Amino acid sequence: MAGSLLSLFTAVLFYFGWASTDAETKALGLRDTIFHLSTSDYLLRSVDALFLPAWLGTAVAFSALGVHRMVRQGAPGVALLLRAGRHAWVVAFLLFPLYPLTPTTFDLAIPLLTIAGFLFTAYARTRPTDTTGAETASVRTDHVRLWGLALLISVLSLFWAVSTYAGIVGRGRADETARTVRIGLPAVVVFSEHDLLIRGGGSCHFRVPMKDSAYGYRYAGLRLFHIAGDRVFVVPREWSPQHGTLYELEQSESVRIEYVSGGNEQTDECSSG
């Protein structure tokens, strides 16, 4: 059981990392396949954005335990609650006519309500109906089938909700990146033996004046976008998703990349000196 839950949790983390990265790169006019991200990259990219859902999920779990305790103790109103809960699965379907109004909101609300509705329906319908708690084999089989169906629908709805939330997070990250390229990304200076043809967007290039230098060209006004192994992705400081070029550089003996502390706040980073 613990192994299955761990596998499901890992799958959700990976799927969220991939879906959010896919939404982010598409919003930036790119694709995640450009950066050749690994499984661990996707898992790490999912962690920070899932803190809030994890806290909310924990709160819901504790609330469910509280409801279960009230049911076992026969608190007033429990019988009415269970009778209503037998049809809780209907709530999510009642929202479908409203879906065209705000698709993004209902893309998140409908699967979450589906999970809650089907699980509570299964719980309400499988509570013992007599005080002895005796159940026939056929009743137990029906209960297992009902819980199996509810869990299957819940898992599918979970991935639907995760996909929607990942899209919201990814597009939010893309918007933040697009607005803060100049001051939010680290500044880099690139030295190259040959001309890399990096031009425009606030970037600048110079010939290295020293004759004994291993590098003939220097490029500034650049920002670090991503690192994948020995490949470094940089953009000009005025880059935008609508107008801009992403440059892929391979670190080698002919290319040197310097990361400039505080360089993204300098106004004279394109000075010839």
Side-chain angles (χ1 to χ4, degrees):
M1 182 62 178
S4 299
L5 290 176
L6 180 61
S7 298
L8 177 61
F9 181 68
T10 303
V12 169
L13 283 179
F14 175 81
Y15 181 73
F16 180 88
W18 171 81
S20 61
T21 302
D22 181 63
E24 178 183 2
T25 53
K26 283 181 178 178
L28 292 172
L30 305 168
R31 290 295 185 272
D32 65 302
T33 52
I34 295 175
F35 305 108
H36 300 281
L37 298 175
S38 64
T39 299
S40 59
D41 290 327
Y42 286 122
L43 292 175
L44 290 173
R45 288 179 62 84
S46 69
V47 173
D48 61 335
L50 289 180
F51 283 133
L52 178 59
W55 278 108
L56 293 177
T58 303
V60 170
F62 275 108
S63 300
L65 290 175
V67 172
H68 177 63
R69 184 177 180 181
M70 292 171 56
V71 171
R72 295 191 62 180
Q73 293 176 346
V78 163
L80 179 61
L81 177 65
L82 290 179
R83 282 198 299 271
R86 295 169 69 88
H87 306 284
W89 62 274
V90 178
V91 175
F93 289 90
L94 296 178
L95 295 178
F96 274 100
L98 302 176
Y99 181 85
L101 299 178
T102 55
T104 301
T105 300
F106 286 109
D107 262 337
L108 192 59
I110 290 175
L112 292 178
L113 289 175
T114 299
I115 294 172
F118 273 87
L119 290 181
F120 191 59
T121 295
Y123 176 79
R125 289 180 177 271
T126 56
R127 293 301 302 166
T129 56
D130 58 69
T131 56
T132 63
E135 292 182 346
T136 63
S138 61
V139 171
R140 287 195 296 270
T141 300
D142 290 341
H143 288 179
V144 169
R145 290 173 178 171
L146 179 58
W147 272 110
L149 177 62
L151 290 174
L152 175 61
I153 294 175
S154 296
V155 169
L156 295 176
S157 299
L158 175 63
F159 278 94
W160 179 6
V162 167
S163 177
T164 302
Y165 181 62
I168 295 172
V169 171
R171 288 187 292 273
R173 287 174 175 171
D175 181 65
E176 178 70 15
T177 298
R179 288 188 293 105
T180 61
V181 169
R182 186 183 184 98
I183 62 174
L185 300 181
V188 295
V189 175
V190 176
F191 290 88
S192 174
E193 180 179 352
H194 306 288
D195 189 359
L196 299 176
L197 299 178
I198 298 177
R199 304 287 192 274
S203 66
C204 43
H205 65 285
F206 307 96
R207 290 297 301 264
V208 176
M210 294 175 289
K211 294 183 179 181
D212 57 346
S213 174
Y215 306 102
Y217 298 85
R218 179 173 71 90
Y219 305 87
L222 303 174
R223 299 294 180 264
L224 176 65
F225 198 88
H226 182 71
I227 296 179
D230 61 350
R231 288 168 301 149
V232 178
F233 297 86
V234 300
V235 294
R237 57 183 172 176
E238 303 299 337
W239 181 90
S240 70
Q242 296 77 23
H243 304 283
T245 303
L246 175 74
Y247 296 94
E248 178 182 350
L249 307 176
E250 183 176 358
Q251 299 188 75
S252 63
E253 292 184 356
S254 62
V255 175
R256 188 182 80 190
I257 300 173
E258 296 181 352
Y259 304 93
V260 184
S261 178
N264 53 358
E265 298 180 357
Q266 296 177 7
T267 60
D268 60 345
E269 57 183 308
C270 277
S271 63
S272 60

